[in-house]
């Protein structure tokens, strides 16, 4: 079922339908009328309402690192892994860019499936069938990110200065057809000129993120296809940022004059700087043939891989819907089972 149909079954107001339907297409190469997006919505909704971490998202990873260290783990930052060592189809450990080899009973990859098997592992160790299926795994991203530093809180139309109303997620996409038209442009290799936006002003709930009186705004922009029909993302970077600001200015006219600085993160940046193959924020499309028992692919959806002692634990595994921790928790249970069974 298309998420547009699902939303129409429960809601009468077009704006509310569009707001609900957007959660079924966020981060995907699909529009609200695309088949299967209703299931994507339900999968994402199962994880509840997103929350803000005090101190920013980095505070979560810092807390996880502290907990791991307390339990006896060694955490090494800035240690780039360039290869997963494999002998007789068993993962032995990893090789760092410095040449150092670290041996381990299990290698657990939070990288996406393609990066894990096609870049960090020698593909010749995999069966041709597995490699071909992995190459066909769809993970070209459609999301760009724009971060703004603001001199003051922008004034949104209709809120009468109610800053509290801006403290949660802000949805820009007034109609189902608006969302569908935004998707249409990406199908032909263009970024949306009237994009669907999801934004937050996290400094409203966490003042530590900005100096007193100032704010930061975090914006997800969709659709921004990884592969552009004309030019490249370095050439289109400024145009994308201008489009986002222009779109927001329709709802907050004084926003452009309050921008102190900006950061534009394209799908190409997500791949090159953050290691997300294809710039896909979910490590692969959340589509009917790439979720549940088929994530990342049929026969290999329980965090194990064709290489013994090598596991996946990132968003390219079930449930694969972002920063929920569910994939890692599920993987940990399976890994513990295997380690205990080998004793």
């Amino acid at each position: 079922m298309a998420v547009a149909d699902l939303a129409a079954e429960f809601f009468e107001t077009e704006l509310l339908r569009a707001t609900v339907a957007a959660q079924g297409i966020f981060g995907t190469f699909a529009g609200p009328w695309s088949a299967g997006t209703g299931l994507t919505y339900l999968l994402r909704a199962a994880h509840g309402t997103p929350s803000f971490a005090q101190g920013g998202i980095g505070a979560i990873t810092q807390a996880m690192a502290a907990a791991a260290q307390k339990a006896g783990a060694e955490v090494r930052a800035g240690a780039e892994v360039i290869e997963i060592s494999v002998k007789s189809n068993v993962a032995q450990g990893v090789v760092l860019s410095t040449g150092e080899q670290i041996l381990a009973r299990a290698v657990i990859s939070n990288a996406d499936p393609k990066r894990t098997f096609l870049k960090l592992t020698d593909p010749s160790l995999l069966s041709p069938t597995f490699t071909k299926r992995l190459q066909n795994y769809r993970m070209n991203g459609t999301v760009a990110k724009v971060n703004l530093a603001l001199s003051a809180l922008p004034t949104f139309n209709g809120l009468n200065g109610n800053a509290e109303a801006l403290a949660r997620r802000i949805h820009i996409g007034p109609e189902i057809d608006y969302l569908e038209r935004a998707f249409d442009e990406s199908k032909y290799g263009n970024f949306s000129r009237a994009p669907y936006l999801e934004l937050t002003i996290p400094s409203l709930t966490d003042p530590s993120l900005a100096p007193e009186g100032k704010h930061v705004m975090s914006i997800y922009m969709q659709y921004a296809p990884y592969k552009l029909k004309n030019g490249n993302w370095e050439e289109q970077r400024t145009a994308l940022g201008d489009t986002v600001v222009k779109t927001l200015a329709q709802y907050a006219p004084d926003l452009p004059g309050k921008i102190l600085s900006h950061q534009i993160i394209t799908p190409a940046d997500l791949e090159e700087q953050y290691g997300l193959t294809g710039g896909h924020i979910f490590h692969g499309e959340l589509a009917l043939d790439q979720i549940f028992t088929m994530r990342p692919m049929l026969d290999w959806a329980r965090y194990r891989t064709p290489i013994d002692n090598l596991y996946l634990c990132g968003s390219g595994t079930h449930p694969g819907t972002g920063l929920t921790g569910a994939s890692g928790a599920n993987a940990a249970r399976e890994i513990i089972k295997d380690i205990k069974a080998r004793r």
Side-chain angles (χ1 to χ4, degrees):
M1 173 184 277
V3 71
D5 288 325
L6 180 64
E9 286 191 8
F10 292 91
F11 304 102
E12 297 179 355
T13 306
E14 182 63 22
L15 178 58
L16 186 53
R17 288 178 179 178
T19 303
V20 170
Q23 299 311 302
I25 61 174
F26 178 72
T28 70
F29 185 69
W33 291 109
S34 299
T37 49
L39 182 59
T40 305
Y41 167 79
L42 295 175
L43 181 63
R44 296 193 68 230
H47 296 291
T49 304
S51 301
F52 295 102
Q54 196 75 15
I57 195 66
I60 295 178
T61 54
Q62 291 170 9
M64 292 171 65
Q69 289 170 323
K70 187 176 181 180
E74 178 186 353
V75 177
R76 296 175 62 174
E80 181 187 2
V81 174
I82 61 171
E83 181 185 349
I84 297 172
S85 302
V86 179
K87 183 178 180 180
S88 301
N89 201 51
V90 178
Q92 304 289 311
V94 297
V95 178
L96 305 185
S97 58
T98 60
E100 178 185 358
Q101 184 173 15
I102 301 175
L103 301 178
R105 287 185 295 170
V107 176
I108 307 163
S109 175
N110 191 44
D112 65 72
K114 284 191 175 181
R115 184 169 294 271
T116 299
F117 292 109
L118 302 182
K119 290 191 175 182
L120 297 179
T121 307
D122 182 355
S124 68
L125 301 174
L126 305 167
S127 72
T129 300
F130 180 88
T131 302
K132 184 65 175 178
R133 289 168 65 187
L134 187 61
Q135 289 171 337
N136 291 332
Y137 180 71
R138 301 188 307 284
M139 53 184 308
N140 282 343
T142 60
V143 174
K145 186 84 184 296
V146 177
N147 296 316
L148 302 178
L150 305 174
S151 61
L153 197 64
T155 304
F156 278 77
N157 297 333
L159 293 183
N160 299 318
N162 181 9
E164 189 175 334
L166 301 175
R168 302 299 294 177
R169 281 187 175 269
I170 302 168
H171 164 89
I172 303 295
E175 299 175 340
I176 293 287
D177 287 346
Y178 177 99
L179 301 176
E180 189 69 24
R181 286 192 295 270
F183 173 52
D184 284 342
E185 292 193 73
S186 70
K187 290 188 291 187
Y188 302 100
N190 304 310
F191 70 82
S192 306
R193 300 295 171 166
Y196 148 49
L197 305 176
E198 286 276 351
L199 58 136
T200 59
I201 307 176
S203 49
L204 282 173
T205 54
D206 184 0
S208 69
L209 297 177
E212 185 176 356
K214 296 180 172 56
H215 290 278
V216 291
M217 179 181 284
S218 173
I219 309 161
Y220 286 100
M221 180 274 192
Q222 204 167 316
Y223 295 78
Y226 172 70
K227 293 182 179 179
L228 290 171
K229 180 180 179 181
N230 298 310
N232 56 55
W233 272 117
E234 198 55 45
E235 297 170 349
Q236 296 293 331
R237 181 186 303 275
T238 300
L240 182 140
D242 290 345
T243 295
V244 169
V245 172
K246 180 181 177 181
T247 301
L248 275 177
Q250 298 175 39
Y251 303 88
D254 61 350
L255 174 68
K258 294 182 176 180
I259 298 174
L260 298 174
S261 184
H262 67 272
Q263 178 189 33
I264 301 169
I265 304 173
T266 70
D269 296 328
L270 290 172
E271 179 175 67
E272 294 167 9
Q273 298 177 25
Y274 298 91
L276 303 176
T277 303
H280 204 295
I281 61 173
F282 292 146
H283 289 195
E285 275 297 296
L286 294 172
L288 285 173
D289 60 334
Q290 292 190 178
I291 57 175
F292 298 123
T293 59
M294 293 177 284
R295 190 164 189 86
M297 63 183 71
L298 200 62
D299 298 329
W300 299 107
R302 296 187 65 83
Y303 315 98
R304 299 174 182 86
T305 74
I307 298 174
D308 292 340
N309 296 349
L310 174 59
Y311 301 85
L312 294 176
C313 70
S315 200
T317 62
H318 176 74
T321 52
L323 301 176
T324 65
S327 292
N330 291 345
R333 283 191 287 269
E334 298 303 313
I335 295 165
I336 290 171
K337 286 180 187 177
D338 288 353
I339 291 177
K340 287 182 176 179
R342 291 199 294 265
R343 289 177 179 173

